Amino acid sequence: LHGLSFATQATGLDELYMGLGSGSDGNRIVKLSGLYMPSASNPSDANGTAVTPVLVTRNMGVGVGLASYGHGHLHYRMVDGGAAPTMKVEVATGLGAASYSTVAESPLPAEPQDGRKRFNVSKDSQGVTVRLTQQNASSLTEVYGVELEQRSYMLGSEVA
C-alpha cells in the first residue's frame, strides 16, 4: 500500500482510512477495512476487482545441504463467495527461488473436506519456496499453515 498517511475512526465502527497523494486519480481518502475483512456482501474491492491474495512462504529447508522433498500439505479454509474460488499452488527450488512451477494437484478446491490438502513436490534441492495464488473472489480465505515432507542427505548411514 502506497499511502501517505493512515488513520482510524475515533468512534463507531472500526474503520481504517488511507490518504493517497496526487497520482492518476488525484488526492483522495480510501477506506481500507473491507479489504482486510471481505465477506459475502463484499468479495471484491471498490472498483469490482476480485480480491485475490498471493502468499509466498519463506524458503523452507533443513539448512544449506541438499534434501529430498516429498509431499506438501496446505491447511486452509476458503469459503465460496459465489465466484468458485480456487487456490493455485506453485513451488520453486533452490535458495534463490526465482522460477516457479505449478504442482499437478493445482488448483485446489475452495473448501477442502478436512481443511488440509496434499500436493506433490518430489524434488531434490537445498530449499523449497511455495507460492499460493487465490483465483476468483471468496467471502473468506484463511491459510493456517504449509508443511513439507523432507529428508536430508546430510544424515547418511554409518560406514563400518
Side-chain angles (χ1 to χ4, degrees), residues 74-77 111-117 144:
L74 176 62
H75 302 265
Y76 70 104
R77 180 172 178 225
E111 190 70 37
Q113 292 289 345
D114 60 358
R116 183 176 190 243
K117 290 297 284 185
Y144 305 117

Side-chain angles (χ1 to χ4, degrees), residues 22-99:
S22 58
S24 60
D25 295 335
N27 296 331
R28 60 190 173 128
I29 301 293
V30 180
K31 186 165 83 171
L32 297 175
S33 302
L35 175 68
Y36 292 107
M37 295 295 293
S39 65
S41 62
N42 182 32
S44 302
D45 66 11
N47 68 359
T49 304
V51 178
T52 54
V54 176
L55 173 75
V56 179
T57 68
R58 65 173 176 78
N59 188 277
M60 296 186 280
V62 293
V64 295
L66 187 64
S68 176
Y69 293 87
H71 293 110
H73 294 90
L74 176 62
H75 302 265
Y76 70 104
R77 180 172 178 225
M78 187 167 44
V79 179
D80 190 345
T86 58
M87 186 71 72
K88 182 178 179 181
V89 180
E90 299 168 289
V91 296
T93 57
L95 298 178
S99 177

